[in-house]
Amino acid sequence: MRLDAASPDTQQYPVEGLVPPYAQLRKQLASRDRSLRRKVVSLEEATALVKDGDTVGIGGSTMSRTPMGMIWALIRARKAHLSCVRSIVSSDGDLLFGSGICDRITTSWFSQGILWGVSKVMRHHVETGAAVYDEWSHMAIGMRFRAGAMGLPFMPIRSMLGSDVLRQRPEAVEMICPYTREKLLLVPGLNPDVALIHVQRCDEFGNAQIDGLPFMDIDLAMAANRVILTTERIVSNEQIRRAPDHTKIPFFAVDAVVELPYGCAPHECSGVYEPMMRHMEFYVAQVNANPLDGMRDYLETFVFGPASWTEFLERIGVDELVRASRAGRSIDDA
């Protein structure tokens, strides 16, 4: 779609309602409780903040700082008709589609991880029409979150121009810049109903510190209407204040905090643990052999079978957790 800045009245626009009006975003923001208050809840209480039909923004990228504990809990709660958005999707997308709680995933890349290639679970669900995969470029997803965080309906970019990805995205609009007369692409803002983000540590108020790459989590936290943090550990506000420059997400953007050690398992959390590769190899072999039966068996054994997140970790195995933790610390020390 093309938009000439000199004659906007003669052009067609994308579907109305794709981006919330600014007044609506302001009203939602004004209605939130942004006070400095204790926000620590259980995993089950946090799960209740995600409603059926919500658009869910997922933090991290690929197998890094994926909020797997929250996804695990959403599946156990049998949520329905979620639309999920993430910069780069890994096996978390398999679980979201395979469990049936998610109808649509918007991302720039959908695989089971760099080592294992395109997800057969994703291919089955998309090719049979059971779910939808909306593909954008890496830059486009980031700029859509950035627009949402700024309260803007769109963001101009050059990414995707000349790419076949653009042919799949009628929501994007080409325009002629009124200043340079160069071609730009407008991508619509993203304002998820709720964001799920995992961090290394935060205080009970929700001041969150992130080690390593922040990916798009800061913009995601500011763009979403509700933010749920899971964290490796809750620390005192005094400890947070000792290194304020490490605080990436402020308390006033956060609605709930869940202390959830190994909350990214079997993915990694920078400086704490690396991916649990033996478990991932087991998982990939099982679901690739049969995307339906393999996924069903995995969910029964590792999601619905355990009585708690701790029991899920026990099923992964202490040896695997220790190995991943040693590897994570050695990388951090290096």
Side-chain angles (χ1 to χ4, degrees):
M1 186 175 297
R2 180 181 173 88
L3 175 64
D4 189 335
S7 55
D9 294 337
T10 64
Q11 304 301 318
Q12 292 182 340
Y13 290 83
V15 178
E16 187 176 353
L18 182 63
V19 179
Y22 181 66
Q24 178 182 330
L25 295 175
R26 288 291 302 167
K27 184 177 180 180
Q28 291 174 345
L29 182 62
S31 67
R32 293 176 62 180
D33 182 356
R34 292 177 289 166
S35 62
L36 189 68
R37 57 187 173 85
R38 187 175 185 272
K39 299 172 184 175
V40 180
V41 299
S42 68
L43 186 59
E44 292 71 26
E45 289 171 326
T47 302
L49 297 176
V50 181
K51 310 301 182 185
D52 290 348
D54 273 353
T55 298
V56 181
I58 299 175
S61 182
T62 322
M63 292 176 64
S64 298
R65 277 195 306 100
T66 312
M68 293 294 279
M70 275 301 307
I71 292 171
W72 179 87
L74 293 177
I75 296 172
R76 286 170 60 86
R78 300 186 187 275
K79 299 294 180 177
H81 304 302
L82 301 179
S83 295
C84 296
V85 185
R86 193 183 189 210
S87 59
I88 299 177
V89 167
S90 182
S91 60
D92 47 295
D94 280 10
L95 296 173
L96 289 165
F97 274 172
S99 64
I101 71 169
C102 175
D103 300 330
R104 179 183 295 267
I105 290 179
T106 300
T107 184
S108 59
W109 193 73
F110 195 141
S111 183
Q112 289 172 329
I114 295 172
L115 299 178
W116 302 289
V118 175
S119 164
K120 291 187 178 182
V121 176
M122 178 272 285
R123 288 195 60 175
H124 170 81
H125 283 78
V126 172
E127 291 173 359
T128 61
V132 176
Y133 165 31
D134 288 333
E135 183 178 13
W136 294 75
S137 74
H138 296 325
M139 178 65 75
I141 290 290
M143 292 299 99
R144 293 189 67 191
F145 280 135
R146 177 66 56 87
M150 296 174 68
L152 295 175
F154 62 84
M155 187 68 71
I157 65 173
R158 289 190 172 90
S159 173
M160 286 173 55
L161 287 172
S163 165
D164 284 344
V165 177
L166 181 57
R167 299 180 184 181
Q168 309 300 319
R169 299 272 56 88
E171 309 94 326
V173 180
E174 292 182 26
M175 74 164 289
I176 301 300
C177 173
Y179 301 103
T180 66
R181 308 307 297 172
E182 295 175 323
K183 184 187 294 186
L184 296 174
L185 188 71
L186 309 185
V187 295
L190 273 171
N191 291 99
D193 296 302
V194 60
L196 313 177
I197 300 173
H198 188 83
V199 299
Q200 282 87 353
R201 59 194 168 277
C202 68
D203 63 19
E204 62 182 0
F205 308 120
N207 292 300
Q209 298 188 337
I210 296 174
D211 299 331
L213 296 173
F215 303 112
M216 300 167 190
D217 292 4
I218 299 170
D219 285 333
L220 171 59
M222 301 305 290
N225 192 41
R226 301 185 299 278
V227 176
I228 300 171
L229 295 181
T230 53
T231 181
E232 290 297 314
R233 58 194 178 106
I234 294 174
V235 300
S236 68
N237 182 253
E238 289 74 17
Q239 181 169 339
I240 292 291
R241 289 172 181 267
R242 291 190 192 108
D245 56 311
H246 289 184
T247 301
K248 306 302 182 183
I249 300 174
F251 74 90
F252 54 78
V254 176
D255 297 273
V257 173
V258 181
E259 189 171 41
L260 197 66
Y262 294 99
C264 300
H267 291 189
E268 64 92 18
C269 184
S270 178
V272 186
Y273 46 89
E274 284 290 282
M276 293 150 200
M277 298 303 293
R278 291 185 180 179
H279 183 81
M280 285 300 302
E281 293 280 2
F282 160 79
Y283 162 80
V284 170
Q286 179 165 308
V287 299
N288 281 358
N290 191 316
L292 287 179
D293 293 341
M295 176 59 72
R296 185 188 63 247
D297 292 345
Y298 183 85
L299 291 172
E300 287 299 326
T301 302
F302 291 96
V303 178
F304 297 115
S308 65
W309 181 249
T310 300
E311 189 171 320
F312 163 74
L313 296 176
E314 290 174 352
R315 295 194 180 196
I316 288 181
V318 174
D319 289 347
E320 184 83 323
L321 296 177
V322 171
R323 185 179 299 107
S325 297
R326 285 174 174 168
R329 287 197 302 271
S330 66
I331 290 175
D332 188 49
D333 291 342

